[in-house]
Structures are given as C-alpha cells and as structure tokens.
Short mmCIF file of all heavy atoms in Angstrom, two decimals:
data_model
loop_
_atom_site.label_atom_id
_atom_site.label_comp_id
_atom_site.label_asym_id
_atom_site.label_seq_id
_atom_site.Cartn_x
_atom_site.Cartn_y
_atom_site.Cartn_z
N SER A 1308 0.92 -1.19 0.04
CA SER A 1308 0.05 -0.02 0.00
C SER A 1308 0.83 1.22 0.02
O SER A 1308 1.92 1.27 0.61
CB SER A 1308 -0.94 -0.13 1.20
OG SER A 1308 -0.65 0.89 2.17
N SER A 1309 0.42 2.22 -0.68
CA SER A 1309 1.23 3.38 -0.89
C SER A 1309 0.74 4.55 0.05
O SER A 1309 -0.40 4.60 0.43
CB SER A 1309 1.04 3.93 -2.33
OG SER A 1309 1.67 5.19 -2.55
N ASP A 1310 1.58 5.44 0.42
CA ASP A 1310 1.22 6.64 1.28
C ASP A 1310 1.18 7.95 0.36
O ASP A 1310 1.52 9.01 0.95
CB ASP A 1310 2.24 6.78 2.43
CG ASP A 1310 2.08 5.79 3.50
OD1 ASP A 1310 0.98 5.14 3.49
OD2 ASP A 1310 2.98 5.53 4.24
N LEU A 1311 0.69 7.74 -0.85
CA LEU A 1311 0.70 8.89 -1.71
C LEU A 1311 -0.22 9.85 -1.18
O LEU A 1311 -1.35 9.54 -0.65
CB LEU A 1311 0.07 8.51 -3.14
CG LEU A 1311 -0.11 9.42 -4.09
CD1 LEU A 1311 1.18 10.10 -4.59
CD2 LEU A 1311 -0.74 8.93 -5.36
N THR A 1312 0.11 11.15 -1.17
CA THR A 1312 -0.71 12.29 -0.71
C THR A 1312 -1.06 13.20 -1.90
O THR A 1312 -0.18 13.60 -2.58
CB THR A 1312 -0.01 13.09 0.40
OG1 THR A 1312 0.37 12.22 1.46
CG2 THR A 1312 -0.82 14.28 0.85
N VAL A 1313 -2.31 13.42 -2.07
CA VAL A 1313 -2.79 14.35 -3.07
C VAL A 1313 -3.67 15.43 -2.32
O VAL A 1313 -4.37 15.09 -1.48
CB VAL A 1313 -3.67 13.71 -4.09
CG1 VAL A 1313 -4.25 14.49 -5.05
CG2 VAL A 1313 -2.85 12.45 -4.70
N GLN A 1314 -3.44 16.68 -2.87
CA GLN A 1314 -4.22 17.71 -2.21
C GLN A 1314 -5.35 18.11 -3.07
O GLN A 1314 -5.21 18.38 -4.31
CB GLN A 1314 -3.30 18.90 -1.97
CG GLN A 1314 -3.92 20.05 -1.24
CD GLN A 1314 -2.94 21.18 -0.78
OE1 GLN A 1314 -1.73 20.94 -1.05
NE2 GLN A 1314 -3.40 22.21 -0.17
N PHE A 1315 -6.47 18.23 -2.59
CA PHE A 1315 -7.75 18.61 -3.29
C PHE A 1315 -8.26 19.98 -2.72
O PHE A 1315 -7.90 20.31 -1.65
CB PHE A 1315 -8.91 17.59 -3.04
CG PHE A 1315 -8.57 16.28 -3.77
CD1 PHE A 1315 -8.17 15.20 -3.08
CD2 PHE A 1315 -8.81 16.07 -5.15
CE1 PHE A 1315 -7.88 14.00 -3.69
CE2 PHE A 1315 -8.59 14.90 -5.76
CZ PHE A 1315 -8.08 13.88 -5.07
N GLY A 1316 -9.07 20.63 -3.50
CA GLY A 1316 -9.44 21.95 -3.11
C GLY A 1316 -11.05 22.07 -3.27
O GLY A 1316 -11.65 21.08 -3.62
N PRO A 1317 -11.57 23.20 -3.13
CA PRO A 1317 -12.96 23.44 -3.21
C PRO A 1317 -13.58 22.95 -4.62
O PRO A 1317 -12.91 23.19 -5.60
CB PRO A 1317 -13.13 24.98 -3.12
CG PRO A 1317 -12.04 25.36 -2.42
CD PRO A 1317 -10.86 24.51 -2.77
N GLY A 1318 -14.63 22.23 -4.60
CA GLY A 1318 -15.21 21.74 -5.82
C GLY A 1318 -14.66 20.42 -6.41
O GLY A 1318 -15.13 19.91 -7.31
N ASP A 1319 -13.58 19.89 -5.80
CA ASP A 1319 -12.94 18.68 -6.24
C ASP A 1319 -13.82 17.43 -5.86
O ASP A 1319 -14.65 17.51 -4.92
CB ASP A 1319 -11.55 18.52 -5.73
CG ASP A 1319 -10.53 19.33 -6.40
OD1 ASP A 1319 -10.77 19.78 -7.56
OD2 ASP A 1319 -9.47 19.59 -5.82
N VAL A 1320 -13.64 16.33 -6.64
CA VAL A 1320 -14.49 15.19 -6.33
C VAL A 1320 -13.50 14.06 -6.10
O VAL A 1320 -12.45 14.03 -6.47
CB VAL A 1320 -15.44 14.76 -7.53
CG1 VAL A 1320 -16.36 15.89 -7.78
CG2 VAL A 1320 -14.61 14.57 -8.68
N VAL A 1321 -13.98 13.08 -5.20
CA VAL A 1321 -13.15 12.00 -4.76
C VAL A 1321 -14.08 10.76 -4.90
O VAL A 1321 -15.24 10.77 -4.43
CB VAL A 1321 -12.64 12.20 -3.34
CG1 VAL A 1321 -11.84 10.97 -2.91
CG2 VAL A 1321 -11.86 13.47 -3.12
N GLY A 1322 -13.55 9.56 -5.41
CA GLY A 1322 -14.40 8.44 -5.47
C GLY A 1322 -15.21 8.28 -6.60
O GLY A 1322 -16.08 7.42 -6.69
N GLU A 1323 -14.95 9.10 -7.66
CA GLU A 1323 -15.86 9.21 -8.83
C GLU A 1323 -15.83 7.82 -9.56
O GLU A 1323 -16.86 7.36 -10.14
CB GLU A 1323 -15.54 10.34 -9.72
CG GLU A 1323 -14.26 10.34 -10.39
CD GLU A 1323 -13.02 10.65 -9.60
OE1 GLU A 1323 -13.24 11.07 -8.39
OE2 GLU A 1323 -11.94 10.45 -10.10
N LEU A 1324 -14.70 7.28 -9.78
CA LEU A 1324 -14.51 5.95 -10.51
C LEU A 1324 -15.29 4.80 -9.90
O LEU A 1324 -16.10 4.14 -10.50
CB LEU A 1324 -13.09 5.61 -10.79
CG LEU A 1324 -12.34 6.31 -11.92
CD1 LEU A 1324 -10.92 5.84 -11.94
CD2 LEU A 1324 -13.08 6.15 -13.17
N GLY A 1325 -15.18 4.74 -8.52
CA GLY A 1325 -15.84 3.69 -7.81
C GLY A 1325 -17.42 3.90 -7.96
O GLY A 1325 -18.12 2.93 -8.08
N LEU A 1326 -17.82 5.12 -7.87
CA LEU A 1326 -19.25 5.41 -8.03
C LEU A 1326 -19.72 5.04 -9.41
O LEU A 1326 -20.79 4.45 -9.54
CB LEU A 1326 -19.52 6.85 -7.64
CG LEU A 1326 -20.93 7.29 -7.52
CD1 LEU A 1326 -21.63 6.57 -6.34
CD2 LEU A 1326 -20.98 8.79 -7.20
N LEU A 1327 -19.03 5.56 -10.43
CA LEU A 1327 -19.43 5.30 -11.80
C LEU A 1327 -19.41 3.88 -12.18
O LEU A 1327 -20.28 3.32 -12.90
CB LEU A 1327 -18.62 6.04 -12.73
CG LEU A 1327 -18.72 7.66 -12.73
CD1 LEU A 1327 -17.70 8.30 -13.49
CD2 LEU A 1327 -20.12 8.00 -13.24
N LEU A 1328 -18.42 3.16 -11.59
CA LEU A 1328 -18.26 1.67 -12.00
C LEU A 1328 -19.08 0.77 -11.04
O LEU A 1328 -19.07 -0.50 -11.15
CB LEU A 1328 -16.83 1.27 -12.03
CG LEU A 1328 -15.98 2.07 -13.07
CD1 LEU A 1328 -14.50 1.69 -12.95
CD2 LEU A 1328 -16.54 1.69 -14.51
N ASP A 1329 -19.69 1.37 -10.02
CA ASP A 1329 -20.39 0.58 -9.02
C ASP A 1329 -19.40 -0.40 -8.36
O ASP A 1329 -19.74 -1.59 -8.17
CB ASP A 1329 -21.63 -0.11 -9.48
CG ASP A 1329 -22.59 -0.36 -8.46
OD1 ASP A 1329 -22.55 0.08 -7.31
OD2 ASP A 1329 -23.42 -1.33 -8.72
N ARG A 1330 -18.24 0.14 -7.91
CA ARG A 1330 -17.26 -0.76 -7.25
C ARG A 1330 -16.81 -0.09 -5.92
O ARG A 1330 -16.91 1.07 -5.83
CB ARG A 1330 -16.02 -0.92 -8.17
CG ARG A 1330 -16.28 -1.68 -9.44
CD ARG A 1330 -15.00 -1.85 -10.16
NE ARG A 1330 -15.35 -2.49 -11.48
CZ ARG A 1330 -14.39 -2.43 -12.48
NH1 ARG A 1330 -13.29 -1.83 -12.35
NH2 ARG A 1330 -14.79 -3.02 -13.64
N PRO A 1331 -16.31 -0.89 -4.97
CA PRO A 1331 -15.75 -0.27 -3.77
C PRO A 1331 -14.70 0.67 -4.06
O PRO A 1331 -13.97 0.61 -4.98
CB PRO A 1331 -15.23 -1.51 -3.02
CG PRO A 1331 -15.76 -2.72 -3.61
CD PRO A 1331 -16.03 -2.31 -5.03
N ARG A 1332 -14.58 1.66 -3.07
CA ARG A 1332 -13.59 2.67 -3.21
C ARG A 1332 -12.19 1.97 -3.09
O ARG A 1332 -12.07 0.88 -2.53
CB ARG A 1332 -13.73 3.71 -2.14
CG ARG A 1332 -13.42 3.13 -0.73
CD ARG A 1332 -13.57 4.25 0.30
NE ARG A 1332 -13.47 3.63 1.61
CZ ARG A 1332 -12.35 3.16 2.28
NH1 ARG A 1332 -11.23 3.27 1.60
NH2 ARG A 1332 -12.39 2.75 3.48
N ASN A 1333 -11.12 2.70 -3.66
CA ASN A 1333 -9.73 2.14 -3.45
C ASN A 1333 -8.80 3.08 -2.90
O ASN A 1333 -7.63 2.98 -3.07
CB ASN A 1333 -9.28 1.66 -4.86
CG ASN A 1333 -9.14 2.79 -5.83
OD1 ASN A 1333 -9.39 3.95 -5.54
ND2 ASN A 1333 -8.76 2.43 -7.09
N ALA A 1334 -9.40 4.11 -2.21
CA ALA A 1334 -8.47 5.12 -1.55
C ALA A 1334 -9.11 5.53 -0.16
O ALA A 1334 -10.39 5.38 -0.01
CB ALA A 1334 -8.26 6.32 -2.41
N THR A 1335 -8.29 6.01 0.58
CA THR A 1335 -8.77 6.60 1.92
C THR A 1335 -8.53 8.18 1.83
O THR A 1335 -7.49 8.57 1.37
CB THR A 1335 -7.91 6.10 3.02
OG1 THR A 1335 -8.20 4.74 3.14
CG2 THR A 1335 -8.35 6.75 4.34
N VAL A 1336 -9.52 8.96 2.21
CA VAL A 1336 -9.41 10.44 2.19
C VAL A 1336 -9.46 10.95 3.65
O VAL A 1336 -10.25 10.52 4.42
CB VAL A 1336 -10.64 11.10 1.40
CG1 VAL A 1336 -10.55 12.52 1.51
CG2 VAL A 1336 -10.59 10.53 -0.02
N ARG A 1337 -8.49 11.78 3.95
CA ARG A 1337 -8.47 12.46 5.30
C ARG A 1337 -8.34 13.90 5.11
O ARG A 1337 -7.50 14.32 4.29
CB ARG A 1337 -7.24 11.87 6.07
CG ARG A 1337 -7.28 10.48 6.43
CD ARG A 1337 -6.23 10.04 7.45
NE ARG A 1337 -6.40 8.65 7.78
CZ ARG A 1337 -5.64 7.70 7.25
NH1 ARG A 1337 -4.76 8.03 6.30
NH2 ARG A 1337 -5.88 6.52 7.57
N ALA A 1338 -9.12 14.64 5.82
CA ALA A 1338 -9.16 16.10 5.69
C ALA A 1338 -8.08 16.68 6.78
O ALA A 1338 -8.08 16.20 7.86
CB ALA A 1338 -10.47 16.70 5.99
N THR A 1339 -7.28 17.62 6.29
CA THR A 1339 -6.35 18.21 7.28
C THR A 1339 -6.95 19.60 7.83
O THR A 1339 -6.31 20.10 8.66
CB THR A 1339 -5.05 18.62 6.60
OG1 THR A 1339 -5.29 19.45 5.40
CG2 THR A 1339 -4.41 17.27 6.13
N THR A 1340 -8.10 20.03 7.32
CA THR A 1340 -8.73 21.24 7.73
C THR A 1340 -10.22 20.90 7.83
O THR A 1340 -10.65 19.96 7.09
CB THR A 1340 -8.49 22.42 6.88
OG1 THR A 1340 -9.03 22.15 5.53
CG2 THR A 1340 -7.07 22.81 6.85
N PRO A 1341 -11.01 21.70 8.57
CA PRO A 1341 -12.54 21.47 8.52
C PRO A 1341 -13.05 21.65 7.15
O PRO A 1341 -12.52 22.53 6.31
CB PRO A 1341 -13.01 22.68 9.40
CG PRO A 1341 -11.86 22.96 10.29
CD PRO A 1341 -10.62 22.81 9.50
N LEU A 1342 -14.04 20.91 6.81
CA LEU A 1342 -14.69 21.07 5.43
C LEU A 1342 -16.11 20.63 5.50
O LEU A 1342 -16.57 19.99 6.46
CB LEU A 1342 -13.86 20.14 4.43
CG LEU A 1342 -13.84 18.61 4.77
CD1 LEU A 1342 -15.05 17.96 4.09
CD2 LEU A 1342 -12.59 17.99 4.37
N GLU A 1343 -16.76 20.95 4.38
CA GLU A 1343 -18.17 20.49 4.14
C GLU A 1343 -18.06 19.64 2.92
O GLU A 1343 -17.41 19.90 1.99
CB GLU A 1343 -19.10 21.69 3.89
CG GLU A 1343 -19.35 22.41 5.25
CD GLU A 1343 -20.39 23.56 5.06
OE1 GLU A 1343 -21.34 23.32 4.12
OE2 GLU A 1343 -20.29 24.55 5.59
N CYS A 1344 -18.70 18.52 2.98
CA CYS A 1344 -18.68 17.62 1.80
C CYS A 1344 -20.11 16.98 1.51
O CYS A 1344 -20.96 17.02 2.31
CB CYS A 1344 -17.66 16.50 2.00
SG CYS A 1344 -18.10 15.36 3.24
N LEU A 1345 -20.29 16.62 0.32
CA LEU A 1345 -21.50 16.05 -0.15
C LEU A 1345 -21.32 14.55 -0.57
O LEU A 1345 -20.38 14.34 -1.30
CB LEU A 1345 -22.12 16.74 -1.37
CG LEU A 1345 -23.33 16.19 -1.95
CD1 LEU A 1345 -24.50 16.32 -1.02
CD2 LEU A 1345 -23.64 16.98 -3.35
N ALA A 1346 -21.97 13.67 0.07
CA ALA A 1346 -21.77 12.25 -0.20
C ALA A 1346 -23.02 11.80 -1.00
O ALA A 1346 -24.12 11.89 -0.63
CB ALA A 1346 -21.73 11.39 1.10
N LEU A 1347 -22.69 11.24 -2.21
CA LEU A 1347 -23.72 10.84 -3.04
C LEU A 1347 -23.66 9.29 -3.31
O LEU A 1347 -22.49 8.73 -3.53
CB LEU A 1347 -23.63 11.49 -4.47
CG LEU A 1347 -23.80 12.91 -4.60
CD1 LEU A 1347 -23.48 13.47 -6.08
CD2 LEU A 1347 -25.14 13.35 -4.24
N GLY A 1348 -24.76 8.71 -3.44
CA GLY A 1348 -24.85 7.34 -3.95
C GLY A 1348 -25.00 7.35 -5.40
O GLY A 1348 -25.25 8.31 -5.99
N ARG A 1349 -24.88 6.14 -5.98
CA ARG A 1349 -24.99 5.96 -7.38
C ARG A 1349 -26.31 6.59 -8.00
O ARG A 1349 -26.30 7.23 -8.98
CB ARG A 1349 -24.86 4.49 -7.82
CG ARG A 1349 -24.71 4.22 -9.24
CD ARG A 1349 -24.32 2.71 -9.41
NE ARG A 1349 -24.50 2.27 -10.84
CZ ARG A 1349 -23.55 2.50 -11.71
NH1 ARG A 1349 -22.40 2.97 -11.38
NH2 ARG A 1349 -23.75 2.10 -12.98
N SER A 1350 -27.40 6.17 -7.34
CA SER A 1350 -28.76 6.65 -7.88
C SER A 1350 -28.84 8.23 -7.63
O SER A 1350 -29.43 8.87 -8.48
CB SER A 1350 -29.88 6.03 -7.09
OG SER A 1350 -29.82 6.27 -5.77
N ASP A 1351 -28.19 8.79 -6.61
CA ASP A 1351 -28.21 10.28 -6.46
C ASP A 1351 -27.46 10.89 -7.57
O ASP A 1351 -27.94 11.96 -8.10
CB ASP A 1351 -27.56 10.59 -5.10
CG ASP A 1351 -28.26 10.07 -3.92
OD1 ASP A 1351 -29.56 10.05 -3.88
OD2 ASP A 1351 -27.59 9.72 -2.94
N LEU A 1352 -26.31 10.34 -7.94
CA LEU A 1352 -25.45 10.94 -9.05
C LEU A 1352 -26.32 10.97 -10.31
O LEU A 1352 -26.32 11.83 -11.09
CB LEU A 1352 -24.16 10.25 -9.14
CG LEU A 1352 -23.17 10.71 -10.28
CD1 LEU A 1352 -22.97 12.18 -10.07
CD2 LEU A 1352 -22.05 9.81 -10.39
N LYS A 1353 -26.90 9.69 -10.57
CA LYS A 1353 -27.62 9.49 -11.86
C LYS A 1353 -28.73 10.55 -11.91
O LYS A 1353 -28.85 11.26 -13.06
CB LYS A 1353 -28.26 8.11 -11.98
CG LYS A 1353 -28.86 7.90 -13.20
CD LYS A 1353 -29.38 6.46 -13.40
CE LYS A 1353 -29.90 6.26 -14.79
NZ LYS A 1353 -31.01 5.45 -14.80
N ALA A 1354 -29.47 10.79 -10.84
CA ALA A 1354 -30.54 11.82 -10.83
C ALA A 1354 -29.96 13.24 -11.06
O ALA A 1354 -30.55 13.95 -11.86
CB ALA A 1354 -31.39 11.71 -9.55
N ALA A 1355 -28.92 13.47 -10.40
CA ALA A 1355 -28.24 14.79 -10.60
C ALA A 1355 -27.83 15.09 -11.99
O ALA A 1355 -27.96 16.22 -12.53
CB ALA A 1355 -27.13 15.03 -9.50
N VAL A 1356 -27.24 14.10 -12.65
CA VAL A 1356 -26.82 14.27 -14.01
C VAL A 1356 -28.04 14.39 -14.91
O VAL A 1356 -27.94 15.14 -15.93
CB VAL A 1356 -25.83 13.10 -14.42
CG1 VAL A 1356 -25.63 13.10 -15.83
CG2 VAL A 1356 -24.57 13.18 -13.63
N GLU A 1357 -29.05 13.64 -14.62
CA GLU A 1357 -30.23 13.79 -15.51
C GLU A 1357 -30.86 15.21 -15.39
O GLU A 1357 -31.32 15.75 -16.40
CB GLU A 1357 -31.30 12.78 -15.09
CG GLU A 1357 -30.86 11.35 -15.58
CD GLU A 1357 -31.77 10.31 -15.04
OE1 GLU A 1357 -32.72 10.46 -14.34
OE2 GLU A 1357 -31.53 9.07 -15.51
N THR A 1358 -30.70 15.90 -14.20
CA THR A 1358 -31.31 17.16 -13.96
C THR A 1358 -30.30 18.22 -14.47
O THR A 1358 -30.76 19.27 -15.00
CB THR A 1358 -31.57 17.39 -12.48
OG1 THR A 1358 -32.42 16.42 -11.91
CG2 THR A 1358 -32.06 18.69 -12.19
N SER A 1359 -29.01 17.94 -14.42
CA SER A 1359 -28.03 18.93 -14.73
C SER A 1359 -26.94 18.23 -15.65
O SER A 1359 -25.89 17.80 -15.15
CB SER A 1359 -27.38 19.54 -13.55
OG SER A 1359 -26.37 20.37 -13.85
N PRO A 1360 -27.14 18.10 -16.98
CA PRO A 1360 -26.14 17.37 -17.80
C PRO A 1360 -24.79 17.98 -17.71
O PRO A 1360 -23.80 17.29 -17.92
CB PRO A 1360 -26.74 17.57 -19.24
CG PRO A 1360 -28.22 17.76 -18.98
CD PRO A 1360 -28.28 18.51 -17.68
N GLU A 1361 -24.69 19.30 -17.52
CA GLU A 1361 -23.35 19.94 -17.37
C GLU A 1361 -22.61 19.25 -16.20
O GLU A 1361 -21.31 19.21 -16.26
CB GLU A 1361 -23.34 21.43 -17.26
CG GLU A 1361 -24.14 22.00 -16.09
CD GLU A 1361 -25.58 22.12 -16.27
OE1 GLU A 1361 -26.19 21.70 -17.25
OE2 GLU A 1361 -26.31 22.77 -15.33
N LEU A 1362 -23.18 18.84 -15.15
CA LEU A 1362 -22.65 18.09 -14.08
C LEU A 1362 -21.89 16.83 -14.56
O LEU A 1362 -20.75 16.56 -14.20
CB LEU A 1362 -23.56 17.91 -12.91
CG LEU A 1362 -23.06 16.91 -11.79
CD1 LEU A 1362 -21.90 17.69 -11.10
CD2 LEU A 1362 -24.13 16.48 -10.89
N GLY A 1363 -22.64 16.09 -15.46
CA GLY A 1363 -22.10 14.88 -15.90
C GLY A 1363 -20.92 15.17 -16.86
O GLY A 1363 -19.90 14.43 -16.79
N TRP A 1364 -20.96 16.19 -17.64
CA TRP A 1364 -19.83 16.59 -18.49
C TRP A 1364 -18.58 16.90 -17.66
O TRP A 1364 -17.51 16.55 -17.92
CB TRP A 1364 -20.20 17.79 -19.44
CG TRP A 1364 -19.14 18.13 -20.28
CD1 TRP A 1364 -18.44 19.33 -20.31
CD2 TRP A 1364 -18.65 17.36 -21.49
NE1 TRP A 1364 -17.45 19.28 -21.31
CE2 TRP A 1364 -17.59 18.07 -21.99
CE3 TRP A 1364 -18.97 16.06 -21.94
CZ2 TRP A 1364 -16.84 17.59 -23.15
CZ3 TRP A 1364 -18.24 15.64 -23.07
CH2 TRP A 1364 -17.25 16.38 -23.64
N SER A 1365 -18.84 17.64 -16.59
CA SER A 1365 -17.78 18.07 -15.70
C SER A 1365 -17.10 16.91 -15.04
O SER A 1365 -15.86 16.73 -14.94
CB SER A 1365 -18.22 19.04 -14.66
OG SER A 1365 -17.29 19.38 -13.73
N LEU A 1366 -17.86 15.97 -14.66
CA LEU A 1366 -17.44 14.67 -14.06
C LEU A 1366 -16.61 13.90 -15.09
O LEU A 1366 -15.52 13.35 -14.72
CB LEU A 1366 -18.55 13.94 -13.42
CG LEU A 1366 -18.10 12.72 -12.58
CD1 LEU A 1366 -17.18 13.04 -11.59
CD2 LEU A 1366 -19.32 11.98 -12.12
N LEU A 1367 -17.15 13.92 -16.26
CA LEU A 1367 -16.39 13.10 -17.44
C LEU A 1367 -14.99 13.77 -17.64
O LEU A 1367 -14.14 13.04 -17.78
CB LEU A 1367 -17.30 13.13 -18.59
CG LEU A 1367 -16.67 12.44 -19.89
CD1 LEU A 1367 -16.42 10.93 -19.52
CD2 LEU A 1367 -17.61 12.59 -21.00
N GLN A 1368 -14.97 15.07 -17.58
CA GLN A 1368 -13.72 15.78 -17.82
C GLN A 1368 -12.67 15.46 -16.71
O GLN A 1368 -11.55 15.24 -16.80
CB GLN A 1368 -13.91 17.21 -17.89
CG GLN A 1368 -14.56 17.68 -19.20
CD GLN A 1368 -14.76 19.23 -19.28
OE1 GLN A 1368 -15.48 19.68 -18.30
NE2 GLN A 1368 -14.30 19.80 -20.24
N THR A 1369 -13.24 15.42 -15.39
CA THR A 1369 -12.36 15.09 -14.27
C THR A 1369 -11.76 13.74 -14.40
O THR A 1369 -10.58 13.51 -14.15
CB THR A 1369 -13.20 15.25 -13.01
OG1 THR A 1369 -13.65 16.60 -12.88
CG2 THR A 1369 -12.49 14.83 -11.79
N VAL A 1370 -12.61 12.78 -14.76
CA VAL A 1370 -12.17 11.30 -14.91
C VAL A 1370 -11.16 11.26 -15.94
O VAL A 1370 -10.06 10.59 -15.81
CB VAL A 1370 -13.37 10.40 -15.21
CG1 VAL A 1370 -12.88 9.06 -15.59
CG2 VAL A 1370 -14.29 10.32 -13.95
N ALA A 1371 -11.43 11.90 -17.11
CA ALA A 1371 -10.34 11.92 -18.29
C ALA A 1371 -9.08 12.49 -17.81
O ALA A 1371 -8.06 11.92 -18.16
CB ALA A 1371 -10.98 12.69 -19.51
N GLU A 1372 -9.11 13.63 -17.13
CA GLU A 1372 -7.88 14.22 -16.78
C GLU A 1372 -7.04 13.31 -15.83
O GLU A 1372 -5.80 13.24 -15.88
CB GLU A 1372 -8.12 15.59 -16.01
CG GLU A 1372 -8.63 16.67 -17.00
CD GLU A 1372 -9.10 17.95 -16.31
OE1 GLU A 1372 -9.04 17.95 -15.06
OE2 GLU A 1372 -9.64 18.81 -17.06
N ARG A 1373 -7.82 12.68 -14.85
CA ARG A 1373 -7.02 11.80 -13.95
C ARG A 1373 -6.53 10.59 -14.61
O ARG A 1373 -5.36 10.10 -14.28
CB ARG A 1373 -7.97 11.41 -12.81
CG ARG A 1373 -8.33 12.67 -11.91
CD ARG A 1373 -9.00 12.24 -10.68
NE ARG A 1373 -9.28 13.49 -9.96
CZ ARG A 1373 -10.18 13.50 -8.84
NH1 ARG A 1373 -10.79 12.42 -8.54
NH2 ARG A 1373 -10.35 14.70 -8.32
N LEU A 1374 -7.22 10.11 -15.60
CA LEU A 1374 -6.72 8.82 -16.34
C LEU A 1374 -5.53 9.25 -17.19
O LEU A 1374 -4.61 8.43 -17.43
CB LEU A 1374 -7.76 8.23 -17.05
CG LEU A 1374 -8.90 7.58 -16.30
CD1 LEU A 1374 -10.10 7.09 -17.19
CD2 LEU A 1374 -8.43 6.43 -15.52
N ASP A 1375 -5.52 10.51 -17.71
CA ASP A 1375 -4.53 10.93 -18.61
C ASP A 1375 -3.23 11.24 -17.83
O ASP A 1375 -2.13 11.25 -18.44
CB ASP A 1375 -4.93 12.24 -19.29
CG ASP A 1375 -3.99 12.67 -20.33
OD1 ASP A 1375 -3.58 11.74 -21.11
OD2 ASP A 1375 -3.75 13.83 -20.50
N GLY A 1376 -3.34 11.45 -16.52
CA GLY A 1376 -2.12 11.60 -15.66
C GLY A 1376 -1.68 12.98 -15.64
O GLY A 1376 -0.82 13.49 -15.26
#
C-alpha cells in the first residue's frame, strides 16, 4: 500500500470511478482542515446528472484528466 498524498480543493471530487463503475472505493481520504462535503450514492448521481447534464460533462472531464495523468 502506498502513502501517496494528493491535495484537493473546493469543488474537487473523490471516489468518482468507484461510483461510476459501482465498485468499492480504492483510496482513503483524510481532511487536514475543517470542510463540508456532499456524499452521493450511485442513484443520487444519476438523478443529478439527468437534472443537470453539465454536471455529467464536468465529471467526465475530471475522470479523463485523472486517467490521462
């Protein structure tokens, strides 16, 4: 197991691949400062994307950027 540290900021998403693929997460996230977050289930995400297609496009871009490295 790796101790890789990645810093995220406002508006970033975590766990998107597991949610999209309906698989368990493969990372642990720890906050170093107080934060507010939104936890979505697969059906919640699907409903949100159906209501707001730009959300789906944004998520797709995020996944592509992370896969591209």
Side-chain angles (χ1 to χ4, degrees):
S1308 112
S1309 172
D1310 286 341
L1311 177 65
T1312 300
V1313 178
Q1314 188 170 356
F1315 291 99
D1319 284 337
V1320 296
V1321 181
E1323 69 284 351
L1324 280 179
L1326 191 59
L1327 291 169
L1328 297 173
D1329 199 20
R1330 294 184 183 162
R1332 64 176 176 76
N1333 62 3
T1335 298
V1336 176
R1337 291 190 182 98
T1339 58
T1340 61
L1342 62 91
E1343 289 186 33
C1344 64
L1345 175 65
L1347 293 176
R1349 188 173 168 84
S1350 61
D1351 297 321
L1352 178 61
K1353 185 175 185 224
V1356 169
E1357 288 173 353
T1358 302
S1359 177
E1361 60 272 9
L1362 173 67
W1364 183 251
S1365 177
L1366 186 59
L1367 181 59
Q1368 287 178 304
T1369 298
V1370 169
E1372 288 169 4
R1373 290 188 184 168
L1374 290 174
D1375 190 42

